[in-house]
Amino acid sequence: MPEIKKIGVLTGGGDSSGLNAAIRGVVMRAADYGYEVLGIHDGWAGLINGDAALLSIDDVREILSHGGTILGTSRTNPFKKEEDVVKCIENVKKLGLDAVVAIGGDDTLGVANKLSQRGVPCVGVPKTMDNDVSGTDYCIGFDTAVTVAVDAVERLRDTARSHRRIMVLEVMGRDAGWVALVTAMAGGADWVLIPEVEPDFDAMCDHLLKLRAAGKPYGVVVVSEGVNIPGLAEEPSGETDAFGHVRLGLRGVGHIVGNEIEKRTGIQTRVAVVGHIQRGGSPTVTDRFYATRLGMAAVDLVSRGEFGKMPAFAGGEIRVVDLATAVGKTKLVPESLYEEAVALFK
Ligand code: F6P
C-alpha cells in the first residue's frame, strides 16, 4: 500500500451543480485518513502551471449548497502537447502529491486515465450534466440540470396553453439525449428529439395536429442540442475546443425545429433555449447526496491504492470501475427507454 500524505483535487470540463459537494466530500474524507488536500485550480491547467492551494475543512464547510466549483474549471487538455504532460508529471512531484482526484466528464476522466498510465496516481469522479459517462448510472450535475429543465417545461406549458401555441425547449446534451429524454418524460412534454434517434418531423407534426384536433391546441417539444438533423452543418464557425468538440449551441437546432413545426402545421410556435441555466444554481438533494458520496468514495480508493479507477453508481450502490473501460464511449439512451417516452405522447 502506498504511503499517502497529500492529495490533489481538481474539477475539469464544463461545470455543473454538485461539484462543490464532491470537493467537500473529498476534503472531509481525506481528514479521516490524515491526508492534506491541495485544491488544483482551473482543471488540468492548474496542474500544468502548478497552480494549487491547500484546502481545509473550514474552506469547504459551507460550500455544499453552492453552484459552480470553488476550484474553477477549464477544458484544458494536457495531451495536446507532450510538454504539458511532462509539466503535469513534474508538478505532481513538486507539489508533493501522492494522488490526484479528478472530477469531470469523459474528457477529464480520459486525461486521468492517460496520466495514470504514465505513472501519476489518479482517481476519477464522474461528473457531467449530460449523464453520459459509461460505467455509472449517475453523473454529478445531471439531476440539477433536468430539474431546471423540467421547471422550464412547466413554465412553457403555461404560456403555450394561454396562446394555443407550440413551445420548443432546446436543452443541453452533447452526444447523448439523457437530459432531453428525462426532461420530456418528467415534464410531460408532447414530443422529444434526441441525438440517438433521427428526427421524424412528419410523425411529430402529425401528432401535434392530432392533439389540436382532439381539443389540446398547445404543446411542448423538447429538443436536445445534439440532435442530428440531416443536412445541418456541425457548427457554423467550425471552432473546436481542446478535446475536439464543436459548440453545439451555435447550431440553433431549437429554432430550426420550431420553424419546421410552424411551417408544416401552421400552429404558432416559439422557441426557448435553457442552455447554461441548467449548469448553475444550488444543487438538488440528489446531486448533493451522490456527489458527496462519490467524493468520499474517491478518497477511499486512494487509501487502498486503487488508481486508474473511479467510484460509480450502478444498481443503487457504489461500485469501482476502471477508468480505461469507462472513458471513450458515450453512454447512450437505450432504444427501449426512448420507446417508453414515445408511448406517453398521446
Ligand atoms: O459537456 C457538458 C455541456 O454542458 C454540454 O451539454 C454542452 O454542449 C457543453 O457542455 C457546453 O460547453 P460550454 O460551457 O463550453 O459552452
Side-chain angles (χ1 to χ4, degrees):
M1 207 67 72
E3 206 208 337
I4 310 282
K5 290 193 179 132
K6 198 194 277 182
I7 66 173
V9 58
L10 63 84
T11 52
D15 68 343
S16 68
S17 292
L19 282 172
N20 285 328
I23 295 165
R24 176 174 168 271
V26 166
V27 173
M28 293 295 188
R29 184 54 116 202
D32 293 335
Y33 294 107
Y35 303 159
E36 257 186 340
V37 182
L38 267 194
I40 300 166
H41 301 152
D42 303 333
W44 295 113
L47 201 57
I48 295 170
N49 302 323
D51 180 9
L54 276 177
L55 271 184
S56 69
I57 288 180
D58 281 340
D59 292 326
V60 299
R61 238 183 246 294
E62 305 267 331
I63 66 172
L64 173 65
S65 61
H66 297 178
T69 161
I70 59 164
L71 296 176
T73 186
S74 70
R75 295 195 188 275
T76 305
N77 179 4
F79 282 89
K80 289 259 311 189
K81 280 193 260 161
E82 175 60 21
E83 62 189 87
D84 285 345
V85 178
V86 172
K87 282 183 193 163
C88 285
I89 296 169
E90 281 170 4
N91 280 328
V92 165
K93 286 192 197 121
K94 274 191 206 152
L95 296 167
L97 297 176
D98 302 304
V100 175
V101 175
I103 309 171
D106 192 64
D107 297 332
T108 305
L109 299 175
V111 172
N113 179 46
K114 286 193 200 158
L115 282 177
S116 293
Q117 289 162 358
R118 298 280 296 263
V120 177
C122 291
V123 165
V125 175
K127 172 282 318 173
T128 167
M129 59 154 283
D130 294 356
N131 201 38
D132 62 359
V133 172
S134 284
T136 184
D137 296 340
Y138 161 84
C139 300
I140 296 169
F142 175 65
D143 192 67
T144 305
V146 289
T147 300
V148 169
V150 166
D151 179 62
V153 166
E154 286 170 356
R155 288 166 192 270
L156 292 175
R157 186 180 297 112
D158 288 344
T159 167
R161 193 186 305 108
S162 307
H163 286 267
R164 296 159 189 270
R165 280 174 175 161
I166 301 300
M167 297 296 306
V168 173
L169 178 67
E170 179 186 314
V171 298
M172 279 188 169
R174 184 174 273 145
D175 302 309
W178 291 103
V179 177
L181 187 108
V182 172
T183 299
M185 286 184 85
D190 299 287
W191 202 263
V192 65
L193 299 178
I194 60 174
E196 290 86 341
V197 179
E198 190 170 320
D200 184 342
F201 288 122
D202 289 338
M204 173 175 66
C205 292
D206 281 355
H207 177 64
L208 296 173
L209 285 170
K210 264 189 208 136
L211 285 180
R212 177 159 277 235
K216 182 181 177 273
Y218 61 92
V220 179
V221 171
V222 179
V223 180
S224 169
E225 64 173 1
V227 75
N228 298 304
I229 299 180
L232 179 68
E234 272 276 274
E235 188 262 314
S237 75
E239 195 190 300
T240 55
D241 69 16
F243 291 90
H245 305 300
V246 295
R247 277 174 65 195
L248 289 173
L250 294 180
R251 299 190 315 160
V253 290
H255 287 279
I256 291 168
V257 171
N259 287 341
E260 205 60 29
I261 292 173
E262 196 166 78
K263 197 172 79 193
R264 289 174 180 235
T265 64
I267 308 173
Q268 246 190 18
T269 303
R270 295 289 186 267
V271 179
V273 180
V274 67
H276 291 80
I277 297 168
Q278 291 176 273
R279 297 230 303 246
S282 187
T284 58
V285 169
T286 300
D287 271 326
R288 293 178 197 199
F289 180 61
Y290 288 120
T292 299
R293 293 184 62 204
L294 286 174
M296 294 173 78
V299 181
D300 291 337
L301 289 186
V302 169
S303 75
R304 299 199 295 268
E306 292 195 51
F307 300 117
K309 298 184 191 275
M310 68 173 192
F313 276 103
E317 59 186 43
I318 294 187
R319 303 214 179 127
V320 180
V321 171
D322 283 332
L323 284 174
T325 61
V327 299
K329 14 178 157 60
T330 309
K331 182 185 68 181
L332 296 174
V333 172
E335 208 181 318
S336 58
L337 185 56
Y338 173 72
E339 294 302 333
E340 276 184 52
V342 171
L344 295 166
F345 301 148
K346 293 193 168 80

